[in-house]
Amino acid sequence: AIHITMATQFDDIGKNASDLLSKGFPASGSFKVSASTKTPSGVSVDASAKRVYKGGNDSVELTLEPKWSWSAHNVEFTGKLTTTDNYEGGVSVKNLGVDGTKLSATVIKNAGGSSIKVGSDFKNSSVAIKDSIVYPDDTAEKPIKITASGVVAYNDANIGAKVNYATGGKSDASLSWTAALGYAQGTWEASASLADATNAAASFWQKVTDHVSLAANFNVDLAADSPAS
């Protein structure tokens, strides 16, 4: 069988190193326990409890994330409920008209109010494109956020850019961008990125054995012309 490598979405460039350096080590004294279950009918539930120790304060957040995949029609329904008053409900459709596409819509409610997030993405062996719009319930107070990213793949390399734009609300319109290059081959991957021409970063990840991986990350604040971390 011929194995076709798919293009990588922008946020997944350098993900192995990022996950190992962040998710593997709870920040701010946090501790998280999670469990998952799935039925043959396509219903799954992820449940987690997170306890955070920060600044002398102790808080516990419980999260429940149900999901139902209607495989016959490439439709997926998702939800999220937390004890900190964060709620989400969404639906997505895959391969609508063109293989590799995904359209999604999510209603979000939290302490800051409500919003609707609409997004689409497309991925094949050569390109990966993703965009979204978050429209708040009160545009006079909160901005409309637009995000778009694109990646071109060639052999084992992925190069792309991501743009974030916010307009409306009480703040002036803002625009930020990030460009990144990633290279992955078997048990290792390397990446480099440049954000707003003011911050450069590089990362490396190596799988040593099935149970051991190594990762390193380096950031440079170009505006200050000195290492940021």
Side-chain angles (χ1 to χ4, degrees), residues 6 94-96 98-102 121-124:
M6 301 297 286
K94 295 181 179 179
N95 301 326
L96 187 62
V98 180
D99 288 347
T101 59
K102 181 180 178 180
D121 59 76
F122 171 76
K123 183 167 69 171
N124 62 18

Side-chain angles (χ1 to χ4, degrees), residues 46-229:
D46 292 340
S48 65
K50 184 177 181 180
R51 189 172 185 177
V52 180
Y53 308 88
K54 188 174 182 179
N57 296 319
D58 185 359
S59 63
V60 176
E61 180 183 52
L62 304 178
T63 302
L64 190 67
E65 297 178 89
K67 181 189 297 183
W68 177 46
S69 297
W70 193 5
S71 302
H73 298 280
N74 294 322
V75 176
E76 186 174 78
F77 298 91
T78 59
K80 182 178 181 179
L81 304 91
T82 75
T83 53
T84 54
D85 295 327
N86 294 314
Y87 308 101
E88 295 183 12
V91 59
S92 63
V93 183
K94 295 181 179 179
N95 301 326
L96 187 62
V98 180
D99 288 347
T101 59
K102 181 180 178 180
L103 304 178
S104 63
T106 306
V107 177
I108 304 168
K109 188 180 185 305
N110 51 41
S114 303
S115 60
I116 297 176
K117 181 178 181 180
V118 179
S120 67
D121 59 76
F122 171 76
K123 183 167 69 171
N124 62 18
S125 60
S126 301
V127 298
I129 301 170
K130 188 173 185 178
D131 59 72
S132 67
I133 299 176
V134 178
Y135 197 93
D137 55 357
D138 186 356
T139 55
E141 294 289 330
K142 293 169 287 186
I144 301 170
K145 298 179 180 179
I146 302 172
T147 302
S149 64
V151 173
V152 176
Y154 180 74
N155 291 335
D156 296 314
N158 287 271
I159 183 170
K162 181 178 182 179
V163 176
N164 295 289
Y165 179 70
T167 182
K170 293 185 175 181
S171 303
D172 294 334
S174 62
L175 177 68
S176 62
W177 60 268
T178 304
L181 170 65
Y183 186 85
Q185 192 173 67
T187 58
W188 68 273
E189 68 177 35
S191 67
S193 64
L194 178 66
D196 296 320
T198 59
N199 184 273
S203 67
F204 178 80
W205 172 84
Q206 172 77 57
K207 180 181 178 181
V208 181
T209 69
D210 289 340
H211 305 288
V212 178
S213 296
L214 302 175
N217 184 70
F218 185 71
N219 290 274
V220 177
D221 185 346
L222 300 177
D225 196 27
S226 61
S229 65

